[in-house]
Amino acid sequence: MAGVWEKVNPYCYKISQTYRKGMRVPGIIYADDELIHMAERDRALEQVINVAFLPGIVKASYAMPDIHWGYGFPIGGVAAMNVESGVISPGGVGYDISCGVRLLRTNLIAKDVLPMMGSLMHELSRNIPKGVGSRGKIKVSRREMEELMTKGVKWAIRKGYGWEEDAEFTEEGGCLQGADPSKVSSRAFQRGLDQPGTLGAGNHFLETQEVVEVYDERLADALGLYKGQLTVMIHSGSRGVGHQICTDYIKVMDRAVREFGIDLPDRQLGCAPITSQEGKDYYAAMACAVNYALTNRHCLAHWVRQSFEYIFRKSAQSLGMGVVYDVSHNIAKFEEHEVDGRKMKLCVHRKGATRAFGPGHPDIPKVYRDIGQPVIIPGDMGTCSYVLVGTARAMTEVFGSTCHGAGRVMSRSKAKRQIRGDMLKRELEEKGIVIVAGHISLLAEEAPQAYKDVSKVVEICHGAGLSKKVAKLKPLGVLKG
């Protein structure tokens, strides 16, 4: 793909709309010289070009610096579609619908907790169901799950899980409107009945972390963060429910593409017009998975608070364990954005990308509205994670979006071949990180070497003005499936 892109500035590269016949918009990739070449080798740039073919796409096919190859769309991709003439695509959301991150603050000082970190992680491990196919403490009937899918975290709060104010600090108030359980298959229901409140496996984790760097005191203070503080980060998604809904609707979209005569450069971009019955059905089912994922992280936070209460013999309220924010990574949403001077209703696909609305947006919690929406960027278990806020520039350039994490550089199978889980565990423990893993052999899949440098990814987003750095968090204890 030599000569496919041109460098716009130190943080941005462009693939011209004229590069390939059929592209409706250009490709815009936020990266540096090293990451753009990595994306090229990974075939992810080919996917940026393919997405540019989709009907109704507005402005550009975007990619964040954590871009890597995914199903149809690249992971790290952002594409906004005109709701009248555009399409919606399961590949633009991904299999783990609404995979995302929740950050809890505490009023504990990390260095004071270090002597009991082993006990704390053991208690968290005892309380948090984890691993492939793990079953949770919450088991719901089909009728209850329908309510969960339509009410989101408010269903869980009514059941006694979590705090009333948690919903305000969750994207969409903890419930994406438009969910319709009648559009979800029996198989998806079956897979989700005993999984609310489970961590899962793969890249999902729960970490206790220390705030080791504050870049902007005013922003950090507004988020209730300060240097030396202990925080808890939860990274999980919609489990088997989201995976099954994606699987089901990929088949539906295969048929829809033929029915509507949509010409695609890659079958994995399967889609349907947003206004079609197939498009509406997918959105309604996807929203069910989104609400399942938000509720899942909400319930996990409940077990975290209970674990802290047991170890520290204090209530979670007295430990200051409020939610900083909860934001999803894999989602398609109807949003209003200004395009060429006029407001447009768009369906914004963010696959491995995070919403990052700038200051003043009404969808941001009131207490954060002056500073912009909190953005939580998980790293790998050996280095660090970040907290940022959205910017006005992100609104004008990329529909209020930024990166979602480090981004893989090595497949899971290659990581397992090259890295031994037991040795990795020892290396991390020598760095002072307590590791609790359900399957030590699977730990290697998520080794730091399998990911890009999250600090570099975040620095590009900060330098490009898509989000602003607030704080850096270092892992002290890691719980993996």
Side-chain angles (χ1 to χ4, degrees):
M1 296 188 68
V4 61
W5 44 261
E6 61 174 307
K7 190 171 183 175
V8 178
N9 64 48
Y11 305 111
C12 185
Y13 299 77
K14 181 178 180 181
I15 300 172
S16 170
Q17 185 182 339
T18 59
Y19 174 72
R20 190 167 295 165
K21 188 179 177 184
M23 288 174 69
R24 298 169 190 264
V25 292
I28 302 288
I29 304 102
Y30 292 90
D32 65 5
D33 289 348
E34 181 188 358
L35 295 186
I36 191 76
H37 286 295
M38 287 171 77
E40 205 167 37
R41 289 194 297 271
D42 186 44
R43 296 185 292 137
L45 293 190
E46 188 70 31
Q47 294 189 315
V48 173
I49 294 166
N50 290 344
V51 171
F53 280 71
L54 290 174
I57 188 168
V58 174
K59 283 178 69 177
S61 165
Y62 293 98
M64 300 295 123
D66 47 345
I67 179 177
H68 58 105
W69 191 90
Y71 183 89
F73 281 55
I75 294 165
V78 177
M81 309 297 179
N82 185 314
V83 293
E84 301 298 330
S85 58
V87 294
I88 188 167
S89 171
V93 174
Y95 279 91
D96 194 358
I97 298 168
S98 192
C99 175
V101 194
R102 175 173 291 220
L103 184 67
L104 299 174
R105 63 175 77 82
T106 76
N107 57 20
L108 296 164
I109 302 302
K111 66 179 173 58
D112 297 339
V113 180
L114 286 180
M116 56 188 89
M117 190 55 67
S119 302
L120 179 59
M121 294 311 297
H122 173 76
E123 185 64 14
L124 285 166
S125 176
R126 211 174 60 82
N127 274 327
I128 304 284
K130 58 189 181 302
V132 179
S134 54
R135 291 173 170 79
K137 301 173 184 177
I138 305 171
K139 292 178 177 54
V140 294
S141 64
R142 173 162 179 142
R143 190 173 163 191
E144 285 175 308
M145 192 156 138
E146 288 179 358
E147 197 178 345
L148 183 163
M149 286 175 164
T150 52
K151 305 286 185 196
V153 301
K154 287 186 179 169
W155 171 87
I157 291 168
R158 190 169 57 77
K159 291 282 183 182
Y161 304 110
W163 302 347
E164 196 73 40
E165 60 263 39
D166 293 344
E168 185 185 351
F169 297 101
T170 305
E171 187 175 3
E172 297 296 328
C175 181
L176 182 63
Q177 298 302 309
D180 182 352
S182 73
K183 306 303 178 186
V184 176
S185 70
S186 297
R187 176 64 182 144
F189 269 97
Q190 191 182 12
R191 292 182 68 176
L193 291 174
D194 55 4
Q195 289 191 330
T198 59
L199 189 65
N203 63 342
H204 295 160
F205 66 76
L206 187 151
E207 285 186 4
T208 53
Q209 303 171 330
E210 178 182 3
V211 179
V212 291
E213 194 93 44
V214 167
Y215 303 100
D216 188 310
E217 292 282 354
R218 181 183 72 87
L219 298 178
D221 188 54
L223 298 177
L225 300 175
Y226 52 88
K227 195 168 179 180
Q229 181 183 19
L230 185 78
T231 60
V232 182
M233 185 175 284
I234 301 165
H235 182 208
S236 191
S238 51
R239 308 285 284 114
V241 173
H243 195 281
Q244 189 62 45
I245 287 173
C246 184
T247 301
D248 293 339
Y249 277 91
I250 280 173
K251 293 174 189 165
V252 172
M253 297 307 177
D254 266 350
R255 295 192 294 272
V257 165
R258 292 194 294 275
E259 182 184 338
F260 292 100
I262 302 171
D263 189 21
L264 298 174
D266 179 358
R267 189 179 171 187
Q268 292 185 357
L269 293 172
C271 57
I274 295 166
T275 53
S276 69
Q277 194 57 53
E278 291 87 346
K280 290 175 184 173
D281 288 352
Y282 170 67
Y283 186 84
M286 182 210 68
C288 289
V290 169
N291 293 336
Y292 190 98
L294 296 172
T295 306
N296 187 38
R297 288 194 290 278
H298 179 85
C299 294
L300 287 168
H302 175 72
W303 312 135
V304 170
R305 285 169 174 157
Q306 284 202 334
S307 300
F308 271 65
E309 287 177 337
Y310 178 80
I311 293 293
F312 297 102
R313 306 294 179 193
K314 289 181 179 177
S315 70
Q317 283 88 352
S318 68
L319 291 167
M321 299 187 73
V323 175
V324 176
Y325 201 60
D326 184 305
V327 67
S328 300
H329 294 153
N330 296 345
I331 198 165
K333 289 167 71 177
F334 293 112
E335 298 172 359
E336 192 174 74
H337 290 274
E338 194 169 301
V339 179
D340 297 330
R342 66 186 180 97
K343 289 193 173 175
M344 286 182 71
K345 191 176 179 189
L346 304 169
C347 181
V348 183
H349 295 65
R350 295 189 182 92
K351 179 182 180 179
T354 307
R355 193 185 77 173
F357 282 172
H361 198 286
D363 289 349
I364 300 173
K366 282 182 185 173
V367 295
Y368 299 152
R369 206 162 287 169
D370 288 343
I371 64 167
Q373 179 212 300
V375 175
I376 305 157
I377 306 298
D380 59 70
M381 58 190 149
T383 55
C384 56
S385 299
Y386 287 87
V387 178
L388 302 92
V389 289
T391 63
R393 188 164 177 178
M395 299 304 293
T396 58
E397 280 198 22
V398 286
F399 310 107
S401 307
T402 192
C403 68
H404 88 303
R408 294 194 79 92
V409 290
M410 194 184 292
S411 68
R412 289 192 166 89
S413 54
K414 186 175 179 183
K416 278 177 78 172
R417 285 196 303 272
Q418 294 193 359
I419 302 161
R420 275 182 51 185
D422 56 342
M423 290 181 69
L424 173 64
K425 183 172 187 288
R426 198 176 314 135
E427 285 171 21
L428 293 171
E429 286 175 342
E430 286 171 357
K431 292 169 72 174
I433 303 169
V434 177
I435 302 288
V436 181
H439 295 279
I440 203 71
S441 61
L442 299 181
L443 196 65
E445 294 180 1
E446 302 303 316
Q449 303 93 303
Y451 285 90
K452 296 176 186 172
D453 178 353
V454 68
S455 296
K456 172 177 273 203
V457 168
V458 164
E459 204 58 49
I460 292 167
C461 290
H462 179 83
L466 305 185
S467 44
K468 189 171 183 182
K469 286 195 299 182
V470 178
K472 180 179 178 178
L473 315 173
K474 176 191 163 191
L476 300 174
V478 179
L479 184 63
K480 297 284 286 184

